[in-house]
Amino acid sequence: MVGCLFVALLAVVASQAAAFGAKEPLSALLQKHVSDIARLKEETQAIVGNVDCVPYNNDVFYLRYAVDEKGVEVLKENLAWRTGAGKQICEAAVSAFEKASGGEKWDNGPVRDGAPNADLINKYITPSTCLTTSSSAGDLVYCIRAGLIDDVSLMSSVSVEKMVDFFLYCKEINALVANDRSLDMDKLLYVITANDLSGLNLIGGDATFRKALGAASKQANGLYPALNGPTLLLNLPRLVSALVKLFTPLFPPEVNARLKFERGPLADVDELLDISYGGKDRDGFLKDLERLCY
């Protein structure tokens, strides 16, 4: 399992955007890549028809391809998924996003209720085990406590394919939010992933859950260019921590720059909701993010 973990991490981090933390304002980046954006938008219109609806009406969608140096062919491949196998996922995410952001403040209820197979999965993946908040710099922070998820019971209820759909839906929601808030803040925002591995069992658990996580991550890396920020692996079991010290010198420099191993952050947080807005542990968590990511 440990070997599979490191292989998966390398695959995720190697694909992350080097532009994370870019100092240029979003408006400057949009102007810098205006020609690329126009060409990408033209190709999108030829395939999907209407580009006046979410997510195609936001130029940040195209900018991410430009800053990550992904051209028209990659866009076409992704649009084939968005209009084909992933159409229901994307449409559900857009509907949930518009409902959640339609009021005075964000309402996460429509997002949870609109997820694929929500009636089966939401019993096991709750805001206590999986939550998205934001850093002080505005980037989204996707937190997951895999060790607290009853993956055996979960995967007895759903297939790997359904679990992959659920994780891709979560990624689409985060992409929509990041693109929308990028315009509001005049800053290209990313998604930081914080894996709190407290309580993770190295032996046992359900291998199909790990398979679903890996498959979703691999697919999402191609579907969402220039969206991933650093990946934080927090509070690893001591055996894994010892192996990390052996493996990290072998990682390429660009991988080490994006992959952060740390003991402490979230360790004393009993409830993930306490790091969300107004939560009692939020200030401490934000300080940890500042130190690790910026």
Side-chain angles (χ1 to χ4, degrees):
M1 174 186 170
V2 175
C4 293
L5 172 65
F6 280 103
V7 170
L9 289 176
L10 285 170
V12 171
V13 177
S15 68
Q16 291 177 348
F20 175 75
K23 300 189 184 310
E24 291 180 84
L26 178 70
S27 52
L29 288 171
L30 290 171
Q31 183 58 41
K32 179 179 179 180
H33 296 281
V34 62
S35 298
D36 292 331
I37 291 171
R39 184 168 65 255
L40 292 166
K41 185 180 288 189
E42 182 179 356
E43 290 292 340
T44 301
Q45 186 168 23
I47 293 171
V48 306
N50 182 17
V51 294
D52 294 326
C53 59
V54 177
Y56 309 117
N57 60 347
N58 186 334
D59 282 353
V60 179
F61 174 86
Y62 310 102
L63 176 65
R64 294 191 187 276
Y65 285 85
V67 300
D68 212 20
E69 299 181 351
K70 306 295 185 185
V72 169
E73 293 308 313
V74 173
L75 174 69
K76 286 181 176 179
E77 291 176 6
N78 290 348
L79 290 175
W81 177 82
R82 300 180 71 88
T83 58
K87 184 177 181 181
Q88 289 186 331
I89 295 172
C90 294
E91 289 179 347
V94 168
S95 176
F97 167 76
E98 290 178 338
K99 291 175 183 176
S101 59
E104 293 184 1
K105 63 179 183 179
W106 180 265
D107 176 10
N108 206 52
V111 173
R112 279 184 55 79
D113 294 343
N117 305 293
D119 58 326
L120 300 174
I121 296 174
N122 283 352
K123 292 184 290 184
Y124 303 99
I125 297 184
T126 70
S128 294
T129 56
C130 188
L131 176 146
T132 299
T133 183
S134 62
S135 71
S136 57
D139 295 303
L140 300 189
V141 187
Y142 179 71
C143 304
I144 184 166
R145 283 179 154 169
L148 299 184
I149 297 172
D150 183 358
D151 53 1
V152 174
S153 297
L154 170 60
M155 297 310 295
S156 70
S157 303
V158 297
S159 64
V160 169
E161 291 74 19
K162 288 182 178 179
M163 203 68 242
V164 169
D165 287 350
F166 177 87
F167 286 126
L168 290 177
Y169 167 88
C170 294
K171 194 75 171 183
E172 179 71 12
I173 289 287
N174 283 341
L176 293 172
V177 174
N179 289 352
D180 188 58
R181 293 185 182 176
S182 292
L183 289 177
D184 291 340
M185 296 182 65
D186 193 26
K187 177 182 180 180
L188 187 59
L189 300 180
Y190 293 83
V191 178
I192 298 167
T193 300
N195 295 279
D196 181 14
L197 301 177
S198 301
L200 181 69
N201 292 320
L202 297 181
I203 300 175
D206 195 298
T208 58
F209 181 71
R210 296 191 291 271
K211 181 179 179 181
L213 274 172
S217 294
K218 182 178 180 180
Q219 191 171 354
N221 288 337
L223 290 170
Y224 301 97
L227 183 63
N228 289 335
T231 294
L232 312 180
L233 285 105
L234 309 174
N235 309 310
L236 282 79
R238 295 195 180 278
L239 172 61
V240 181
S241 295
L243 290 172
V244 165
K245 294 179 182 179
L246 296 175
F247 275 94
T248 48
L250 305 177
F251 291 173
E254 63 272 17
V255 171
N256 278 321
R258 292 284 177 249
L259 191 58
K260 310 290 184 180
F261 298 92
E262 187 82 4
R263 293 188 66 86
L266 292 180
D268 296 325
V269 175
D270 295 326
E271 172 58 62
L272 275 185
L273 285 170
D274 288 336
I275 65 169
S276 60
Y277 291 101
K280 65 182 180 66
D281 295 313
R282 181 166 176 77
D283 289 345
F285 181 63
L286 292 181
K287 289 179 182 178
D288 287 333
L289 286 176
E290 285 283 345
R291 175 172 54 87
L292 292 169
C293 299
Y294 299 103

